[in-house]
Amino acid sequence: MTKAISPRSRKVRVLATLGPASNTPEMIAKLFEAGADAFRVNMSHGDQQSKVAVIEAIRGLERQYGRPTTILADLQGPKLRVGRFAEGRVMLETGQRFTLDRSSEPGDATRVELPHQEIFAAIARDARLLLDDGKLVLRVLDHDDEKIVTEVVVGGALSNSKGLNVPDVVLPMAALTPKDISDLHFAVEQRVDWIALSFVQRPEDLAEARKLIQGKAALLAKIEKPSAVARLEEIVEQCDGVMVARGDLGVELPPQSVPPLQKRIVETARRLGRPVVVATQMLESMITSPSPTRAEVSDVATAVYDGADAIMLSAESAAGSWPVESVTMMNDIAHAVERDPAHGDRVHFTVLRPDPTTADALAEAAKNIAATVDAKAILCFTKSGSTARRIARERPAVPIMVLTPQIDTARRLGLLWGVHAVHTRDVASFEEMVAKAKRMVLRHNIAKAGDRVVVCAGVPFGTPGSTNVLHVVQIVGDELKNYKGFEA
């Protein structure tokens, strides 16, 4: 008999980044027990071989806890940097001229190498160049194929190989570098569930990654550049999920513009039925402190109230001194918000209109029927996961239990709001569907005797994309006692 596993009692998912502070099997298990639903593997740090053991440890949770695990591999993307200085460091004064050029000679207080030809081709007069995470700001006065002459708008110290952001133009650069392509192939070979693409500027940037993935993982677009915001809806339509990458957005845009943008990205993703992750600096102070600031707690709560599918920890869980505590805190904040009687109204503030399809109509009906008959859960049978995504888009007040014969589908659903996925054998008839639905909600402690459950499925069974059945079942309570078979 399958071990009984209760689902999380909250609906928003917690995505924890793994790193030096948390990449052992013991720590990964502690993070899972503290509330982590999915794990981010950052391909920017370490080599591929070091990631193999981490991925194996995450998958080991499936045997330990009897629940599918979810892994997101985050590709680094192009990194724009200035060259090196003869003295290692210079001081730029506000108002002075400073030149970025193609010469490989060590720089000084008047010039430095810019080893990115694409920037020379795309730059425009008055465009801003941001250095060292936006600490220094330059404005373009003149440019040609060999040099970019700027005025220092905000000065400060600049040292070797500091990062460069170009927020005001679309750069003719692919989102995938040779390193990213190698890392993507590695991630696909390791059967990760999601691949996050950095440096997305336009919908076309997703095409190459989609082609290389070949359907073997879901594709998540990181929204971190103003050019991506300008074509947000097109980008969301071309991917399987999105991330509000607030760190880079906050560098390339004024900080005060990020909160309304976060709400806009979350709303767009929800409206188009794509899971959305809110990320970066959510509990930043917990890198060094065992407790967060009140402002950070409010920030996490806002993402939960907005109806984000997942909230993410970065350095807090990857390299901080309190990885387990940071996951516990995020879990506790989410619980507190979802217990708020006003939470349901705020989550449904975004107006969603179903597409004119049978599947969308049934997903909306499932939510409404569950509320009307006071059902304890919505249970759906799916192969591709599309039924689960449609139901999660509606943000029902009850848990969504998903039964699927595809382990890859079960794992990918770990980023979806309110979903408890179970990898199990498929059903072949309506009667078998009803009987299995009753048994599984009892096994997983989702419902008990006398409770109602709304069941969604497609007939004929085993046909992807054929959701056309909605059925309300009532649990008697003796379904497991009368069932003699083994359930997998």
Side-chain angles (χ1 to χ4, degrees):
M1 184 178 291
T2 306
K3 179 183 177 183
I5 301 293
S6 299
R8 303 284 194 200
S9 56
R10 56 169 161 76
K11 297 181 176 66
V12 69
R13 306 291 88 175
V14 173
L15 173 60
T17 301
L18 299 180
S22 56
N23 58 14
T24 64
E26 295 76 19
M27 277 299 295
I28 292 170
K30 287 181 180 179
L31 295 184
F32 175 83
E33 291 176 352
D37 302 288
F39 297 92
R40 172 177 173 255
V41 177
N42 190 351
M43 303 306 295
S44 299
H45 305 296
D47 57 19
Q48 292 176 359
Q49 191 56 42
S50 68
K51 306 291 192 299
V52 174
V54 174
I55 291 170
E56 288 178 352
I58 299 170
R59 293 298 187 218
L61 297 175
E62 295 184 340
R63 297 182 294 274
Q64 190 173 352
Y65 297 96
R67 180 182 297 170
T69 56
T70 303
I71 302 173
L72 180 144
D74 194 340
L75 303 180
Q76 175 176 286
K79 292 299 179 186
L80 306 179
R81 301 185 184 279
V82 299
R84 302 180 66 81
F85 294 93
E87 302 295 327
R89 181 176 181 271
V90 298
M91 181 66 68
L92 300 187
E93 302 293 339
T94 298
Q96 77 166 79
R97 299 290 187 268
F98 188 73
T99 300
L100 301 108
D101 58 36
R102 304 282 297 278
S103 170
S104 60
E105 291 294 316
D108 56 30
T110 65
R111 60 154 296 277
V112 74
E113 179 188 11
L114 181 59
H116 301 286
Q117 181 179 352
E118 299 88 347
I119 297 177
F120 291 88
I123 202 65
R125 184 179 175 84
D126 290 328
R128 291 170 301 148
L129 300 176
L130 311 179
L131 300 167
D132 193 9
D133 289 334
K135 295 182 180 70
L136 290 81
V137 181
L138 313 179
R139 182 175 65 88
V140 176
L141 300 175
D142 195 12
H143 62 93
D144 57 32
D145 291 342
E146 296 297 322
K147 65 182 182 299
I148 300 172
V149 180
T150 74
E151 176 189 10
V152 179
V153 177
V154 179
L158 182 62
S159 55
N160 293 338
S161 306
K162 284 298 182 182
L164 173 75
N165 292 78
V166 190
D168 299 330
V169 297
V170 177
L171 298 176
M173 299 178 70
L176 288 169
T177 66
K179 169 180 165 53
D180 294 327
I181 292 172
S182 174
D183 287 341
L184 186 151
H185 285 306
F186 165 80
V188 169
E189 288 170 3
Q190 293 294 313
R191 294 187 66 185
V192 305
D193 311 298
W194 287 84
I195 292 177
L197 186 63
S198 302
F199 210 84
V200 175
Q201 300 185 93
R202 48 196 174 267
E204 294 80 8
D205 289 334
L206 300 167
E208 183 181 4
R210 176 89 58 196
K211 181 179 179 181
L212 293 172
I213 292 171
Q214 295 181 325
K216 296 177 181 177
L219 178 61
L220 183 141
K222 294 168 68 176
I223 308 299
E224 55 191 2
K225 301 187 73 61
S227 50
V229 173
R231 301 184 67 181
L232 178 62
E233 192 148 330
E234 297 171 82
I235 289 171
V236 174
E237 286 177 341
Q238 294 297 318
C239 64
D240 301 306
V242 296
M243 179 185 291
V244 188
R246 306 183 308 174
D248 284 292
L249 275 177
V251 171
E252 300 211 355
L253 292 166
Q256 66 270 19
S257 68
V258 175
L261 265 181
Q262 174 177 317
K263 290 184 179 294
R264 178 183 161 196
I265 296 167
V266 170
E267 185 274 333
T268 302
R270 287 192 54 196
R271 180 164 45 81
L272 295 176
R274 306 297 194 274
V276 54
V277 180
V278 176
T280 319
Q281 297 176 333
M282 301 208 81
L283 296 175
E284 184 84 355
S285 65
M286 289 194 74
I287 296 172
T288 56
S289 169
S291 60
T293 67
R294 302 301 179 266
E296 289 168 339
V297 172
S298 180
D299 179 42
V300 174
T302 295
V304 180
Y305 276 120
D306 287 346
D309 289 81
I311 44 183
M312 190 181 99
L313 293 164
S314 298
E316 303 97 324
S317 59
S321 301
W322 308 92
V324 175
E325 289 79 2
S326 64
V327 172
T328 301
M329 177 56 65
M330 191 165 264
N331 177 70
D332 291 347
I333 297 167
H335 272 298
V337 171
E338 292 186 5
R339 285 194 298 265
D340 179 1
H343 173 253
D345 291 337
R346 295 192 183 190
V347 163
H348 290 107
F349 185 78
T350 299
V351 177
L352 303 176
R353 294 181 175 84
D355 293 333
T357 63
T358 301
D360 266 27
L362 288 178
E364 184 181 36
K367 179 194 76 172
N368 294 334
I369 291 171
T372 301
V373 304
D374 192 27
K376 298 305 177 186
I378 297 172
L379 186 145
C380 72
F381 292 82
T382 182
K383 274 197 168 180
S384 67
S386 62
T387 303
R389 288 190 292 272
R390 285 186 172 98
I391 296 172
R393 174 180 180 260
E394 299 296 327
R395 300 296 192 259
V398 297
I400 306 164
M401 186 175 191
V402 179
L403 304 184
T404 178
Q406 303 291 337
I407 185 60
D408 292 343
T409 296
R411 288 168 172 169
R412 290 178 197 177
L413 293 175
L415 283 184
L416 226 61
W417 192 92
V419 166
H420 176 69
V422 178
H423 178 222
T424 183
R425 285 195 296 263
D426 208 355
V427 294
S429 68
F430 183 84
E431 292 75 15
E432 187 182 355
M433 175 195 80
V434 172
K436 184 159 193 168
K438 291 180 176 182
R439 294 193 303 272
M440 295 303 273
V441 294
L442 286 170
R443 286 190 196 284
H444 291 256
N445 304 317
I446 288 178
K448 60 184 185 303
D451 290 339
R452 291 189 177 97
V453 175
V454 178
V455 181
C456 295
V459 177
F461 292 97
T463 304
S466 65
T467 305
N468 56 11
V469 171
L470 195 60
H471 187 65
V472 180
V473 301
Q474 187 161 24
I475 310 302
V476 174
D478 62 356
E479 286 87 354
L480 292 178
K481 181 175 64 177
N482 296 333
Y483 181 69
K484 306 299 183 184
F486 172 77
E487 196 134 40

